[in-house]
Each structure stands twice: as structure tokens, then as C-alpha cells.
Amino acid sequence: MAEDNSLLEARIAARAKVSVEAVREVFEAQGIPLASPPARPRPLRIHRLRLAGERTGTIAPGHFDTPLQFSDGLTALVASNLRGKSSVLELVTWCLRGTPRERSGALHWLSEVDLDATIAGKAMGFRLNLENEEITSAVVLAGPDIEALASVRAPDIGREIVPLFRASGSDSYAEQIQALMMDWMDLHPLVSMFKGTSTQTHGWPSYFGAVYLPAGRSQALMGDHLMSGLPGRLLQVFLDLPAAAVLTKVKTSGELMATARKRRETAAQAAVQVRTDERSRIQFDLEQAQDHLEQLSTGTPDGESLTELATRAVRLASSVADSQESWEKVMQAHRRARAQRQRDAKILNDVSESATARRLFHGLDPKACPRCDQEIAADRRQQEREMHSCAVCSRPVEGDDEKPEEVAAEARERLDASTAAEQATKEALEEAEGDLVRLSDELHSAQDELRRADAAAQVPARASAREKVLRLEGALSAFPKLPPVPDDPAEAMAIKILRAGAKELEKDHENAAEKLFSDLNDQIADLARKFGIVGLESVEIDRAGHLDVTSDGGRVRSFSAQSPGERVRLRIAVIVALLRVGAIHQVSTHPGLLLIDSPKAEEIQDLDIRSLLKELRTLAKANHLQVVITTADFDLAHEVLPDDSIIKAPEGHPLW
């Protein structure tokens, strides 16, 4: 065995490309033994069941104390319907399993339940005290033999009857009986993944499902449930495939560790993304807050209030408007004075050169007609200069030019006057421009002061903005970028080693199962035909507990597609085949106890049930199999079985 163990370690190390020491460390850390010695024999036999209590109602009321003795082969519990047959199986189940599979309505009559059984060669007595269908106290006794336990309900050191455990209630009894049976039957918990995040452990109650067969309507080949691949795993255990429980634990541990690693990586990546998104949001808010703070002025008011500054600015704006208006009037006056000076200069030039012009000059320079007061048009003045016709009456101007010097002198005086007027308006214009510039500067200054004062009035807003910037800067510093998810080399190596171990153990399973399952298929097919499945040609069962049946000229149907009666017969065939194959290959297999409730009720015709029971009786003796069945058919029981294999009640009376 040590050599096989070393070989397995080396194979796992070679597959995982690690050292043998690393393999040992990982398996030790997970609490998984690499050694897988053959299972000890696990025969289970029941010998005597005693039921005591007080029956109420109309059928046989009063105190009862009923012993039931089971034969080594096939035992039939015979009574009319609803007279306690099924409850006997449930009470045996309660004693051996820790809890009944179903609670019948008659359990409330019971006050004491005693079961004597042999477990893996050890005589044990199960003593239950009941009240209102619950255990009030219980003890499991161990004795030198079954005979010594008869009629004993308490430890007796002088007779070598000792307690294995005591229980004060139903829960305590269930917990302790499961631990006791797993130990004595040399069984290991079946571990499976649960929702990908944890493990689920299946103990003795799951194994007991291969002892107390389910009803025909169930689709499970072995056991009570299809979940977690239990039928196949029970099959592997009872065939004693190498390290069946170890393989399950290795697979589960590896998958659980890999799943946990993947979940951590996913969670870490999600956290990094969340942190990145949060930093981006804070960074965006910070930039917005910084921009808002920069937009606020830093100026402060100087002496005057915001209202006074606004009033002065309005007053200066009004003064600037008035000054602008005055400047425009002076500008117009200056333009008129300049135009007059230009005309006077022209006239002086004209009168100096033309006698006609001097003649017209005496008529002065009327601006409008003296009669109608209409302004003299420019074209008339042009005509006067060019055609020497009066601009007022249009008549030709003629006459002597007797005093040219006087006319020129007068024209010169007019030019001097208009020149002086132009100069005066120019000076007035410059003064108006100066006032306008001064007032405009004062207005601009007042507006600047007003803006600074308005910015100073926003000091609370600026302080709030600065506080927001600082807060966001602090938040950003409190959310640093997350570092990359660190890898755990030890965890990665452990996962690799466990996966390599699962593959090596799986290969061992396949090699061991090849011959075992070939023989198992032949035995199941042979037994199923003997049990009355007409037309069956062959069966194919795999390590997952899937059974395909070929019949009627090559038609293949799964176990779940069979009729309820065919399922019952196939389940029995599988159990007997396990015992046969175990004997051939010298491996510990099924405990060798079968509890079957009313097989005739599962659509099995009378001829078939007779054939089934006859074969079961023969097979039980030949294969060290103990079978307990229930039936309401009195004739059937006596026709097939001897009296010592029948526990019956008078027709219409209770079995206990």
C-alpha cells in the first residue's frame, strides 16, 4: 500500500510538474489522504424489533408489546393495508439511519422501540424511548453477541453490555447515530460543490438510500436523490473503486479553490473599475470647481459701499452723456465756423480778382430771400459766381468798379472775424474733448471699483468654492489607484496539484471500473430477466449511475423511462449484482440489507411478483443478502416463503 501511495504521489507530481513534497503539502493542507486502503467489510443485519406502547382507537386498543424476529434471508411482513407494515420499515430506518424517511400516523402510540442488529460484525442494541413521536432518551448498546442483548434496555457491565452513546432527544440521536454508522461501516462523507461557493456533505442518510429502496416512481437508480450525482457516487463506493470518496473530495476541493480564486479576481477587477470610475468622477468635479474658483475675482471694496459706488457710476455715466452731447454741439459750431471762414477766404480772393464779385459783395451775403425768407440754394450761389447773376433775383450784375480797395478791405475784415470765430470754437471743442475724456476716465475707474466691490461681495461664494476644491482634492487623495491584483503562487500551485490529482485518480477509477462494470452489466441483465423483465437484451451502467436498458430488438431506453415496476426490479438487480461482483472481485460492497415496501403495488403482476420473490429468496441465501419486504397478499407470502420467513398479523388486525 505504501508503494502504491508513493506511486500515486509521483504520478501527480509528474502531471503537475512539481515536487512530490509539494504534492504532500497540498493534500495535507486540504486534509485529504493520498492513501486509499480497501474498505473493511460492512455487512448489516437486523435480528429483532420490539415495539411497545398504548394503542388508541377502535382496532385492538390498549397496551401492546410486540417482538418481531427477522430471518437471515427474505422476510415478508404480511398484514392488511394500513395495519403497520410500512411503519415497521420506518422504525427500523429510524433506529439505523437516525431519522425515519416518512412518519406514519401510528408512531404516536409508541413509547419504546428496541432494535437488535449486527453492524460490521458487532452486535448492537438500539433503545429508543418515545413520547409524541419524538425521542425523549436513547442509548445504543454493544454486547458480545445478539443473544446477550435480548430483553436488555440498559448497560450491564457484568454481561459486557456497554453504551456506545446516549442521546437526550431526536436531534442528538440523529447526529450521533450518523457518526457511529459512518465509522462502523467504514464510509467517508460524500462532498460536493454547493452553488459554486461552498461544499455540501452527504453522510449516512444518503448511503442508507441504497438500503431502503425508494418507491418505483422515483427516477434515482440508487439512493433517494439525483442531486450532486449521488447515485453514481454510491455505486462507486459500493464497488470499492479506488479512493472513490477521495476522488470526490479532491475534485470538490480543487473546484472550490479555483472558483474562490476566480471570484476574488473578478471582485478585485470590479473594485478596480469602481475605483477608477470614482476617481474619474471626483477628478471631473475637481476641475469644474477649480474653473469656478478662477472665475471669481479677488478684488475688495475701498471705502465706499457697493450702493455708493453704483450711484457714483450712474452719475458719472450721466455726466459723460451730457459731456458727449456738449462736445457734439461745439463740434457742429466749430464746423460751421470753419465753413464760414473758408467762404470768407474765397470771397476775399474773388473780390480781389473780379469787379463783378466786388459788385455783388456790396449786396452783402444774404442767406435767404428778404421777402419770402427762403434759403438761397447753393446752385444759385454757384451761378452767381460763374454767370454774374444775382443769387436772389437772378438778374445780371453790372456796374462800375469804382472802389475796389474798400471792397477788398471789407472782405478782409470779414475773413478776420470768421477766422477768429473758428479759433474760438476750436478752443471750445478742445475744452469739451478734455472734459469728455476726464469724465470717461472717471467713469471707467468707477466701473472698475464697482466690479472689484462686486467681487468682494462674492467672498462667501469664493470661500465655498475654495472649500469645495479642497474637499475634492482630499477625496481624490483618499481614493488612490488600486494596485494590480496580487497573484498567489501557492494557491495557483495547489489548484494545479489538485486538478492533477483528480485526473490521476480518475484514470485509476477508469482502469479499475473497466472489468468491474463489465461484470456488473452482465449480472444486472441476468438478474433483471430472472425478475420478469421480458425482452431485456442487455444493460449499460456507467460510473455516474446512469443505466440504459436495451430490449425488444435493440430499443434503448434510460432507467427513468422504465415503468415503476421495471424500476423496482432493476434496483433490486443492481444491489444483488453489486454483492455478486463484490464476491467475485473480493471487494467490500453493499451492506447486504434491503428494505422494500410493497413491491406488488408498483404495477407488478401476480405472476411477476411470485417470480421476483422466489428469485430473491434464492439469491438472498446465495449472496448473503437480507431482504425485508411488505405485502398485503397472505396467499402470496405462504406460497413463496416458509413460515419462519413470514411475520404476519391476522387479516384485518394490526401487525404490532
Side-chain angles (χ1 to χ4, degrees):
M1 185 56 63
E3 183 179 351
D4 293 342
N5 186 31
S6 300
L7 180 59
L8 178 60
E9 290 177 348
R11 286 191 286 126
I12 294 174
R15 180 182 284 272
K17 298 180 180 179
V18 298
S19 67
V20 172
E21 186 60 34
V23 173
R24 291 173 183 164
E25 290 177 358
V26 169
F27 275 74
E28 288 176 3
Q30 294 296 317
I32 304 174
L34 277 168
S36 55
R40 299 193 306 266
R42 51 174 76 98
L44 173 59
R45 293 291 180 271
I46 59 176
H47 303 282
R48 184 183 69 94
L49 179 68
R50 170 182 168 267
L51 308 173
E54 192 76 21
R55 181 181 292 104
T56 59
T58 59
I59 301 176
H63 179 75
F64 63 90
D65 192 333
T66 307
L68 305 175
Q69 195 75 32
F70 301 97
S71 62
D72 289 337
L74 175 61
T75 300
L77 301 175
V78 186
S80 302
N81 289 329
L82 304 177
R83 291 298 180 265
K85 303 185 302 297
S86 298
S87 61
V88 169
L89 300 186
E90 292 299 336
L91 290 168
V92 171
T93 300
W94 197 346
C95 291
L96 295 178
R97 181 177 183 261
T99 55
R101 194 170 66 177
E102 296 180 1
R103 290 180 180 268
S104 69
L107 296 184
H108 65 280
W109 293 335
L110 293 166
S111 58
E112 295 179 357
V113 176
D114 298 346
L115 176 68
D116 293 338
T118 302
I119 311 234
K122 184 65 176 177
M124 296 186 188
F126 301 81
R127 306 296 184 251
L128 280 58
N129 296 314
L130 307 177
E131 184 176 340
N132 296 325
E133 301 185 19
E134 294 293 339
I135 296 174
T136 57
S137 64
V139 62
V140 176
L141 305 172
D145 51 51
I146 286 297
E147 289 73 18
L149 291 172
S151 304
V152 176
R153 301 200 81 245
D156 188 341
I157 302 301
R159 298 172 59 186
E160 299 181 10
I161 299 174
V162 297
L164 296 178
F165 71 78
R166 297 179 185 273
S168 58
S170 298
D171 292 340
S172 173
Y173 180 78
E175 181 179 351
Q176 294 187 74
I177 200 67
Q178 291 177 39
L180 176 74
M181 297 301 289
M182 292 289 285
D183 181 26
W184 279 89
M185 301 293 285
D186 192 25
L187 296 168
H188 300 280
L190 300 173
V191 183
S192 60
M193 289 280 286
F194 181 69
K195 296 183 178 180
T197 58
S198 61
T199 58
Q200 190 172 39
T201 302
H202 307 277
W204 174 240
S206 294
Y207 283 109
F208 198 80
V211 171
Y212 191 174
L213 297 187
R217 61 182 177 275
S218 172
Q219 294 187 2
L221 178 63
M222 294 188 70
D224 298 327
H225 305 287
L226 289 169
M227 59 181 291
S228 305
L230 284 177
R233 296 167 73 176
L234 291 174
L235 186 67
Q236 294 176 30
V237 169
F238 291 138
L239 274 176
D240 200 24
L241 291 179
V246 174
L247 173 59
T248 298
K249 194 168 184 180
V250 170
K251 281 184 175 180
T252 302
S253 297
E255 291 172 3
L256 190 62
M257 188 177 293
T259 300
R261 177 184 176 89
K262 182 63 177 178
R263 289 171 68 89
R264 287 199 307 273
E265 291 176 349
T266 302
Q269 292 172 356
V272 169
Q273 186 60 49
V274 169
R275 178 63 59 84
T276 301
D277 294 343
E278 183 68 13
R279 282 183 55 85
S280 298
R281 183 188 65 78
I282 295 174
Q283 184 66 47
F284 176 78
D285 292 345
L286 176 60
E287 292 173 357
Q288 294 290 103
Q290 289 171 336
D291 291 343
H292 179 63
L293 181 60
E294 290 178 1
Q295 291 173 2
L296 297 176
S297 172
T298 58
T300 58
D302 186 16
E304 293 178 283
S305 68
L306 191 63
T307 302
E308 292 173 338
L309 285 171
T311 301
R312 182 156 65 90
V314 171
R315 185 176 66 250
L316 285 171
S318 178
S319 298
V320 168
D322 293 343
S323 178
Q324 179 72 29
E325 185 179 357
S326 298
W327 176 83
E328 289 177 354
K329 289 180 179 179
V330 173
M331 173 61 78
Q332 291 175 0
H334 175 64
R335 288 174 179 171
R336 287 195 299 271
R338 184 176 57 188
Q340 184 62 47
R341 188 264 308 165
Q342 291 173 345
R343 285 196 299 272
D344 289 344
K346 181 69 171 56
I347 290 172
L348 176 61
N349 182 63
D350 290 345
V351 298
S352 298
E353 296 178 357
S354 170
T356 302
R358 288 193 292 273
R359 175 77 175 173
L360 290 172
F361 183 76
H362 285 294
L364 302 179
D365 187 18
K367 305 297 183 189
C369 177
R371 294 191 65 188
C372 65
D373 204 29
Q374 292 284 336
E375 185 178 359
I376 298 174
D379 58 339
R380 280 187 172 256
R381 291 186 181 277
Q382 181 70 22
Q383 187 177 9
E384 182 183 71
R385 286 193 297 272
E386 295 176 357
M387 305 298 296
H388 302 134
S389 59
C390 178
V392 177
C393 63
S394 301
R395 292 181 180 179
V397 178
E398 297 178 356
D400 297 332
D401 187 12
E402 297 177 353
K403 300 177 180 179
E405 294 82 3
E406 294 180 0
V407 174
E410 185 178 354
R412 192 173 293 105
E413 289 177 1
R414 291 185 179 182
L415 176 60
D416 291 341
S418 61
T419 300
E422 180 185 13
Q423 182 62 33
T425 57
K426 180 179 179 182
E427 292 174 357
L429 179 62
E430 291 175 352
E431 183 180 356
E433 285 179 348
D435 291 342
L436 180 59
V437 170
R438 177 180 58 78
L439 290 173
S440 296
D441 290 342
E442 290 181 4
L443 176 60
H444 293 158
S445 176
Q447 289 174 335
D448 289 341
E449 291 181 20
L450 182 61
R451 280 192 294 271
R452 288 195 298 273
D454 183 59
Q458 295 179 2
V459 167
R462 190 170 59 255
S464 176
R466 184 179 294 109
E467 180 183 355
K468 184 176 182 180
V469 169
L470 294 175
R471 185 174 67 253
L472 290 171
E473 288 176 344
L476 197 62
S477 65
F479 284 91
K481 292 182 178 180
L482 290 177
V485 181
D487 188 24
D488 186 349
E491 183 183 51
M493 185 177 68
I495 293 173
K496 183 169 68 172
I497 289 173
L498 289 171
R499 286 175 172 170
K503 290 180 180 179
E504 288 298 323
L505 289 169
E506 186 75 28
K507 185 169 67 174
D508 291 346
H509 262 234
E510 291 176 356
N511 295 335
E514 184 175 356
K515 178 58 176 173
L516 286 172
F517 275 81
S518 176
D519 292 347
L520 189 63
N521 287 328
D522 293 340
Q523 292 289 343
I524 294 172
D526 177 63
L527 290 163
R529 283 190 288 265
K530 289 180 178 180
F531 292 158
I533 302 181
V534 181
L536 185 143
E537 299 172 10
S538 64
V539 300
E540 185 73 28
I541 192 170
D542 61 19
R543 289 182 297 139
H546 300 141
L547 178 68
D548 288 331
V549 178
T550 302
S551 59
D552 302 327
R555 182 186 181 193
V556 179
R557 293 188 301 160
S558 66
F559 174 78
S560 61
Q562 307 299 313
S563 70
E566 289 170 332
R567 292 179 195 170
V568 170
R569 284 171 283 189
L570 284 169
R571 287 194 187 99
I572 299 172
V574 169
I575 300 302
V576 177
L578 284 173
L579 293 170
R580 283 183 169 183
V581 171
I584 294 171
H585 293 273
Q586 297 183 342
V587 295
S588 287
T589 57
H590 192 275
L593 172 64
L594 272 184
L595 305 179
I596 308 172
D597 190 16
S598 300
K600 187 177 178 181
E602 302 293 353
E603 300 180 7
I604 300 177
Q605 301 301 318
D606 290 347
L607 180 60
D608 290 337
I609 192 63
R610 282 172 170 76
S611 300
L612 174 62
L613 294 183
K614 287 178 180 179
E615 289 294 337
L616 268 178
R617 181 188 174 193
T618 302
L619 292 168
K621 289 183 177 181
N623 296 279
H624 305 288
L625 173 66
Q626 184 182 32
V627 182
V628 180
I629 68 168
T630 66
T631 180
D633 192 331
F634 289 81
D635 295 337
L636 170 65
H638 284 288
E639 182 180 337
V640 175
L641 301 173
D643 290 343
D644 61 356
S645 295
I646 300 174
I647 300 174
K648 71 175 182 176
E651 192 166 354
H653 289 262
L655 187 62
W656 48 272

